[in-house]
Amino acid sequence: MEIIARISRMQARSQQLKREGKSIGFVPTMGALHEGHLSLMRRARAENDSLISSIFVNPTQFGPGEDYKTYPRNMDQDRKLAAGVGVDIIFAPSVTEMYPEGYATYIEVDGLTEGLCGRARPGHFRGVTTVVTKLFNIVRPDRAYFGQKDYQQAIVIKRMTADLHLGPEIIIMPIIREPDGLAMSSRNRYLSKEQRQAALVLSHSLKKAEEMLGRGERDGEIIKDQMAQLIQQEPLAETDYISVVDSDDLTESTEIKGQVLIALAVRIGRTRLIDNILWKDPNSTKI
Ligand code: AMP
């Protein structure tokens, strides 16, 4: 496995792979790898001749007062995990390599970025779409893999890729969870033992929503209310948002029809965690 820090070197390697007629699968990450990341890499490994993954904690997607400085970084461990699932090249540029002095260009996607995490984290998606565009231009992948864990991010990137004719096929993979239901996240490392237990309210509240939908409840407000009540019972948890939205355009669904995304963000101490489920009405004709 090769580790590349320079953009020029990464571009040359990608061009070489293309000349050899090899397809490129790409998994962008911020490192502190876990099974969620590895699941994307395994799928990408199976579907492409070569597999490139990036490890870059992207400063432009963190807001002031967020955890950019403390975000877990563990290159030695990441290197072993990536090699174990057959990554060919890790692209790990420095911040100045990606954003040299005088850097001034940003990509923005309207509409889809306005609700959910976009509302709670102003500027976050502008940072994400900018860095992903840059990474796509450097790596030139045929297919790029993203997790449903960050559902809004994945569909924003899908939209941007189509709108800007960036090229790669975007593949969205299911959420990998711990045995007790907690969605895997690099940020879970911040949690104390008590907080780790309290963090189960996210998946529990989504289970509750799923049960209500199964019993025929179709009022998004009632579902959000019940989820909020469940979260309130956990003293270490504070709700950031709970949303029930159409899974395609992310508009609020008061009356649930077709496929919806139920998504939430909850603070456990200073750690902000997100989780979601997709739910499809069994009577829906929408594919
Ligand atoms: P991150 O390093 O957090 O930026 O995540 C890199 C990629 O891994 C993103 O596409 C995430 O959606 C995906 N990812 C993170 N956690 C999980 C998970 N628990 N299950 C599946 N994919 C995940």
Side-chain angles (χ1 to χ4, degrees):
M1 191 179 69
E2 240 177 293
I3 299 184
I4 297 180
R6 292 274 174 215
I7 292 170
S8 56
R9 170 95 188 120
M10 185 67 251
Q11 284 174 317
R13 285 291 284 117
S14 285
Q15 278 161 16
Q16 187 188 3
L17 289 166
K18 290 209 177 290
R19 270 198 307 275
E20 290 166 2
K22 290 187 172 150
S23 62
I24 300 176
F26 180 46
V27 180
T29 82
M30 297 206 300
L33 301 180
H34 51 67
E35 271 302 314
H37 300 114
L38 300 182
S39 71
L40 310 188
M41 292 173 184
R42 286 193 195 98
R43 169 84 178 265
R45 178 70 277 169
E47 291 180 348
N48 300 277
D49 300 320
S50 48
L51 170 53
I52 301 175
S53 185
S54 59
I55 296 182
F56 179 61
V57 184
N58 174 37
T60 63
Q61 71 188 69
F62 289 81
E66 289 187 355
D67 57 344
Y68 173 67
K69 284 219 170 84
T70 54
Y71 196 84
R73 290 159 171 91
N74 193 345
M75 196 56 180
D76 283 347
Q77 171 89 350
D78 288 351
R79 187 193 310 220
K80 286 182 202 136
L81 290 170
V85 291
V87 171
D88 296 311
I89 302 175
I90 290 183
F91 177 50
S94 67
V95 172
T96 48
E97 181 77 1
M98 290 294 273
Y99 300 107
E101 207 169 306
Y103 188 87
T105 305
Y106 294 87
I107 303 285
E108 284 194 55
V109 174
D110 286 346
L112 289 175
T113 57
E114 279 157 26
L116 307 157
C117 285
R119 183 164 305 142
R121 302 181 69 189
H124 168 68
F125 285 114
R126 179 180 186 255
V128 169
T129 45
T130 299
V131 80
V132 171
T133 303
K134 287 165 68 67
L135 291 168
F136 282 2
N137 282 333
I138 297 163
V139 172
R140 298 273 170 200
D142 296 280
R143 297 182 194 85
Y145 299 81
F146 293 87
Q148 184 195 314
K149 163 85 190 332
D150 302 273
Y151 182 84
Q152 185 177 19
Q153 165 176 285
I155 65 159
V156 165
I157 287 166
K158 235 183 178 167
R159 179 82 258 157
M160 171 185 84
T161 303
D163 288 354
L164 297 181
H165 322 288
L166 295 180
E169 181 189 346
I170 305 297
I171 293 126
I172 305 180
M173 299 285 294
I175 301 176
I176 304 297
R177 298 177 178 279
E178 301 285 356
D180 62 5
L182 179 68
M184 290 196 185
S185 164
S186 305
R187 291 191 168 97
N188 291 349
R189 297 174 199 207
Y190 296 145
L191 302 171
S192 69
K193 202 159 165 254
E194 292 73 31
Q195 290 175 331
R196 169 68 184 73
Q197 190 59 27
L200 291 174
V201 283
L202 282 96
S203 57
H204 288 169
S205 69
L206 290 168
K207 265 242 138 36
K208 167 125 205 156
E210 212 167 18
E211 276 162 28
M212 292 174 78
L213 286 158
R215 278 189 263 114
E217 182 57 64
R218 292 293 179 271
D219 185 330
E221 291 304 317
I222 294 178
I223 291 172
K224 285 194 284 187
D225 220 62
Q226 291 289 309
M227 290 173 72
Q229 278 187 34
L230 193 147
I231 295 163
Q232 249 167 32
Q233 285 165 24
E234 172 49 66
L236 298 181
E238 198 192 320
T239 304
D240 188 346
Y241 70 78
I242 303 172
S243 288
V244 179
V245 293
D246 181 277
S247 63
D248 292 333
D249 60 17
L250 303 186
T251 54
E252 286 284 331
S253 307
T254 319
E255 196 205 328
I256 293 169
K257 297 195 283 280
Q259 182 166 276
V260 288
L261 171 78
I262 305 181
L264 77 166
V266 174
R267 275 172 208 287
I268 308 285
R270 286 165 66 178
T271 305
R272 183 175 177 279
L273 300 176
I274 57 172
D275 199 353
N276 68 74
I277 53 166
L278 285 168
W279 187 86
K280 190 165 179 263
D281 190 335
N283 302 316
S284 160
T285 50
K286 197 167 131 183
I287 315 165

